[in-house]
Amino acid sequence: MNILGIETSCDETAAAVLDGEGRVCSSIVSSQIELHAPYGGIVPEIAARQHLEAIEPVIDRALERAGRRLSDIGGIAVTCGPGLIGCLLVGTAFARSLALARRLPVVGVNHLEGHVVSGWIDRPKLAYPALALVVSGGHTGLWRVPEPGRYVLLARTRDDAAGEALDKVGKLLGLAYPGGPAIDRLGERGDPQAVRFGEVRIKDGPAFSFSGYKTAVRVYLEKTGLAPLTDPEQDPPQQMLDLIASFRCAVVRELVRQTRRAIEEQRPASLVLAGGVAASQLLRREISTLSEDFALAPSIPELRYCGDNAAMIALAGRRRLLAGDDEIDRLETAASLPLGGPEARRRSKRHR
Ligand code: KG4
Ligand code: ZN
């Protein structure tokens, strides 16, 4: 079955086609970053309107790149949450109409499940049980994946997602939006030991927390009088490069510390790193080293599958489509949609 995947949960309009074996034939991502950059963050109304404009051409391009027509598609997988509700609605409404018009089955996919399964896009034989660290702008969490389609939430952030903290600090420092890539690049040029960021201590863990680091950066700027850049293109002074390197290192250290703890406890067979922040060179290096320490098979997707994309959504929906699932009459969108935690279990009971 050829599958069409559609993703519109945040600021990327994406479509992808998988062939009968589950291989990616095409994956098109149209980013809105430049539209939102002047506002220093995503404006939901602008995002939804842009998805409306982009969705049809993006799907057309995905089909064309895959050398397929709509009549070759056997099922549709679309992100139904979590995300910005107006944005999700564009994707699910479009998917529903396509499904109705073409008499195709359609399934809603949890965006977080998409990020987790991105670890299997290029490594379909990756062993279970797996441990997946998903680090993006909206979410940061660790999941145990005992078998395909089952997710157990082990830890998630109590406040900011790691990417959100990177982006907020980027804004504080006057860096280009989003701050994550700039912090990753500039961090290579500073001394990660220069500014001390303590270890995060959380009661009733395991959990992540990143908002304290963001506050520490703000306090450092106030105390030292280090001024933010007036132009994002400006080359930062060494003091700022050192601050960036130390902050970047602290965020990565925290992600790695919790992952190490989970590996020791869970003893998984493989380790997946996913989400937009998985593009960080430092995080990629550290997670590779961690996998070596425990002789685990690591899966760190190519950069194009780290950020939001529809190939991961198509792959996450594939198992259910192959099993004959069709949600045409019950496709719902939800701004908040937990994956594999106690809230998710409560929700799925309610839906039964
Ligand atoms: O997964 P994603 O594309 O969207 C969400 O679902 O949130 O992740 C976007 C996040 C942003 O916070 C961005 O700053 C961060 O990924 N990011 C990076 C890098 N590239 C993108 N963070 C660190 N290093 C990078 N190279
Ligand atoms: Zn995402």
Side-chain angles (χ1 to χ4, degrees):
M1 181 195 279
N2 292 313
I3 292 169
L4 173 67
I6 300 175
E7 153 66 41
T8 63
S9 66
C10 193
D11 61 342
E12 258 105 25
T13 317
V17 175
L18 299 189
D19 70 9
E21 307 294 315
R23 286 178 300 232
V24 182
C25 303
S26 66
S27 175
I28 305 291
V29 179
S30 162
S31 170
Q32 307 178 358
I33 279 192
E34 282 173 17
L35 275 180
H36 301 286
Y39 304 94
I42 296 162
V43 184
E45 291 79 6
I46 296 182
R49 205 176 322 137
Q50 184 56 28
H51 283 306
L52 261 181
E53 292 212 1
I55 192 160
E56 205 169 351
V58 164
I59 291 176
D60 286 347
R61 241 190 304 152
L63 288 166
E64 193 187 324
R65 185 78 56 88
R68 305 286 201 283
R69 294 158 179 266
L70 255 184
S71 51
D72 299 320
I73 298 297
I76 302 174
V78 60
T79 307
C80 61
L84 298 167
I85 200 77
C87 297
L88 290 165
L89 279 168
V90 175
T92 50
F94 203 93
R96 251 189 121 246
S97 355
L98 263 186
L100 278 172
R102 297 275 167 172
R103 295 178 192 284
L104 289 172
V106 59
V107 293
V109 170
N110 185 313
H111 181 81
L112 294 169
E113 179 178 4
H115 276 306
V116 171
V117 307
S118 68
W120 279 264
I121 293 180
D122 284 326
R123 307 198 52 179
K125 298 217 155 56
L126 191 73
Y128 296 90
L131 185 72
L133 172 66
V134 176
V135 203
S136 75
H139 308 274
T140 296
L142 262 171
W143 281 267
R144 176 179 160 79
V145 191
E147 60 188 24
R150 261 190 70 208
Y151 309 93
V152 182
L153 179 68
L154 301 175
R156 66 177 165 135
T157 182
R158 290 276 166 87
D159 39 60
D160 288 351
E164 189 180 355
L166 293 170
D167 295 346
K168 285 177 176 169
V169 165
K171 210 168 169 179
L172 277 178
L173 299 177
L175 304 179
Y177 170 83
I183 287 174
D184 193 44
R185 188 169 31 84
L186 295 169
E188 294 282 338
R189 292 169 48 202
D191 172 8
Q193 312 282 343
V195 184
R196 202 180 157 273
F197 287 85
E199 210 171 78
V200 179
R201 293 188 192 279
I202 303 177
K203 275 192 200 151
D204 323 318
F208 296 100
S209 168
F210 296 101
S211 69
Y213 289 159
K214 179 192 62 193
T215 309
V217 169
R218 193 167 39 75
V219 169
Y220 178 90
L221 294 180
E222 282 163 11
K223 270 199 184 149
T224 60
L226 177 65
L229 303 182
T230 46
D231 172 0
E233 299 302 317
Q234 205 180 323
D235 200 30
Q238 192 58 43
Q239 189 186 358
M240 188 181 281
L241 290 173
D242 289 346
L243 173 65
I244 291 173
S246 305
F247 165 68
R248 169 192 189 231
C249 187
V251 170
V252 169
R253 191 186 56 209
E254 203 48 34
L255 290 166
V256 171
R257 189 169 70 96
Q258 295 288 353
T259 309
R260 176 182 290 276
R261 185 202 49 75
I263 294 173
E264 284 166 353
E265 204 180 278
Q266 304 284 335
R267 296 285 159 188
S270 57
L271 176 61
V272 172
L273 171 65
V277 182
S280 156
Q281 293 306 320
L282 180 62
L283 184 57
R284 294 173 87 85
R285 287 200 297 270
E286 292 293 319
I287 291 290
S288 302
T289 310
L290 188 64
S291 311
E292 279 167 25
D293 289 352
F294 287 91
L296 286 176
S299 179
I300 307 182
E302 279 180 47
L303 292 189
R304 63 198 172 121
Y305 298 132
C306 289
D308 289 349
N309 67 87
M312 66 184 195
I313 301 302
L315 189 60
R318 184 169 184 267
R319 204 178 27 86
R320 278 154 54 210
L321 285 166
L322 290 179
D325 211 355
D326 184 6
E327 298 181 343
I328 190 76
D329 294 325
R330 52 189 162 95
L331 191 60
E332 282 180 13
T333 45
S336 138
L337 191 62
L339 178 73
E343 295 158 65
R345 281 195 289 279
R346 271 200 299 278
R347 247 176 218 253
S348 65
K349 264 188 204 142
R350 229 186 301 145
H351 278 181
R352 245 179 254 143

